[in-house]
Amino acid sequence: RVHGDVCVQPTAVPGLPAGGVVALACGGQHSLVATAKTVYAFGANGNGQLGTGRPVFSIPTPTVVGGMAGTVRLLACGGDHSVVVTTEQVYCFGNNKHSQLGLGDTITRPIPTPLAVRGFDVDTVACGAQHTLLV
């Protein structure tokens, strides 16, 4: 049952595919869910953490995040930033005030932005409130 914006028991999320989910992640107030080829995002978006490029504070229903190549392998969400690892690239988006996207600057990114990862394959990814770790 949903009471306002608070879910008080397990509830199916309308708008997600019935099967084939390969990864999911929850951040401060946003979530990512992925099938092999598609990433869906929903929740708070005040800093572009949903990666849709839409300048709205929140998106309550799953919305496709575009602009990424390859098969989705891993997802991670921080306080208000996100990371997607595909077979071809690492992408990051959202708040970058503390350089948590690893892009060498502090510019917030509202769409998936490729991260140059050289010298190793990414086996796992994790995000804290304001930082990201790739191993």
Side-chain angles (χ1 to χ4, degrees):
R1 210 171 84 186
V2 177
H3 177 73
D5 290 330
V6 178
C7 185
V8 295
Q9 69 182 36
T11 304
V13 177
L16 289 175
V21 171
V22 297
L24 56 92
C26 296
Q29 295 180 338
H30 71 291
S31 299
L32 299 180
V33 176
T35 64
K37 295 288 183 185
T38 307
V39 175
Y40 300 87
F42 53 100
N45 191 45
N47 287 292
Q49 62 264 44
L50 299 184
T52 63
R54 293 173 50 192
V56 296
F57 184 72
S58 69
I59 299 175
T61 57
T63 301
V64 173
V65 181
M68 295 178 283
T71 301
V72 178
R73 292 182 48 237
L74 305 166
L75 301 175
C77 295
D80 53 4
H81 70 287
S82 303
V83 179
V84 176
V85 179
T86 73
T87 53
E88 296 186 25
Q89 185 71 53
V90 176
Y91 297 92
C92 48
F93 41 97
N95 189 2
N96 196 32
K97 181 179 179 182
H98 302 283
S99 297
Q100 58 264 51
L101 301 183
L103 298 168
D105 59 39
T106 57
I107 300 167
T108 291
R109 303 301 202 294
I111 60 172
T113 304
L115 174 64
V117 178
R118 293 181 173 83
F120 70 96
D121 293 327
V122 177
D123 291 323
T124 191
V125 59
C127 295
Q130 298 174 343
H131 65 286
T132 301
L133 177 65
L134 301 168
V135 177

